[in-house]
Amino acid sequence: MNNEWGECMFREMRRIGNKMDQDQAVSILKAGTNGVLGVIGDSGYPYTVPVSYVYDEGNIYFHSATEGHKLDAIQNEPKVSFCVTAQDNIIAEDFNTLYKSVIVFGKAEILVNEESKRDALESILKKYSADFIEKGREYIKEEWDNCVAVRISIEHMSGKFGD
């Protein structure tokens, strides 16, 4: 499948009438405050974990401690998925759900270049603590050796809504 996120083979959405356009999907990624990262974990089992993130020009960035399950998984297999849900309203009497969600597929990498790491952490700071930039920069300096920044380079994105 060719699309603006690269040439990769991904399944077409089954209910194509529920597909949102790329601009809507990007808007959801920009506005979201948390998403669920999916990796191939220990012994081949899927491992999912919620993370705070920022979307920037076709990439997703998040930070992490310097060691742990998700980093081990990314180092073993960089292919990941990431899901953001923007709406989830259950309509019990209609046996239905009004929802909006975006799933991306891509490759994750731990940023080792100091400038790239700083840029990613600054982007996260600006999204979540815009009123505390200087304090946040001091915090980044203090915690520099205790965290890593990860970039997911998006290869495929699919937004979906239900009504």
Side-chain angles (χ1 to χ4, degrees), residues 1 9-10 12 19 24 32 41 45 48 54 60 64 68 72 74 93 106 108 117-119 142 148 160:
M1 160 192 272
M9 293 303 296
F10 293 94
E12 286 293 326
K19 183 177 183 177
Q24 291 173 302
Y45 282 93
T48 59
V54 64
I60 292 173
S64 175
D72 291 345
I74 288 168
E93 65 273 13
K117 178 180 175 180
R118 187 174 325 307
D119 289 347
E142 292 170 11
V148 297
K160 187 176 180 181

Side-chain angles (χ1 to χ4, degrees), residues 33-35 49-54 60-63 82 124 127-128:
T33 58
N34 67 77
V49 60
V51 297
S52 299
Y53 73 96
V54 64
I60 292 173
Y61 297 92
F62 63 91
H63 71 286
F82 189 78
I124 294 166
K127 179 175 181 177
Y128 293 95

Side-chain angles (χ1 to χ4, degrees), residues 67-146:
E67 58 184 43
H69 194 164
K70 73 177 164 274
L71 291 185
D72 291 345
I74 288 168
Q75 289 171 332
N76 287 330
E77 174 54 70
K79 291 179 184 174
V80 300
S81 66
F82 189 78
C83 178
V84 174
T85 302
Q87 178 183 353
D88 182 26
N89 299 328
I90 297 171
I91 312 299
E93 65 273 13
D94 291 337
F95 312 104
N96 198 3
T97 303
L98 302 177
Y99 63 90
K100 292 180 183 173
S101 63
V102 176
I103 298 175
V104 302
F105 296 90
K107 292 200 175 101
E109 69 174 304
I110 299 164
L111 300 174
V112 294
N113 175 285
E114 287 197 10
E115 184 178 347
S116 296
K117 178 180 175 180
R118 187 174 325 307
D119 289 347
L121 295 175
E122 285 263 340
S123 292
I124 294 166
L125 171 63
K126 288 174 184 171
K127 179 175 181 177
Y128 293 95
S129 299
D131 294 335
F132 305 95
I133 297 298
E134 288 311 313
K135 187 176 180 182
R137 286 181 177 144
E138 285 300 314
Y139 184 75
I140 289 170
K141 275 172 79 170
E142 292 170 11
E143 295 298 321
W144 186 260
D145 293 330
N146 299 322

Side-chain angles (χ1 to χ4, degrees), residues 7-48:
E7 293 185 31
C8 298
M9 293 303 296
F10 293 94
R11 290 182 184 216
E12 286 293 326
M13 187 179 296
R14 186 177 56 81
R15 296 185 65 194
I16 201 74
N18 293 54
K19 183 177 183 177
M20 68 177 58
D21 66 41
Q22 295 292 302
D23 290 339
Q24 291 173 302
V26 167
S27 292
I28 287 173
L29 290 178
K30 286 181 177 179
T33 58
N34 67 77
V36 179
L37 174 69
V39 298
I40 303 300
D42 295 344
S43 300
Y45 282 93
Y47 175 68
T48 59

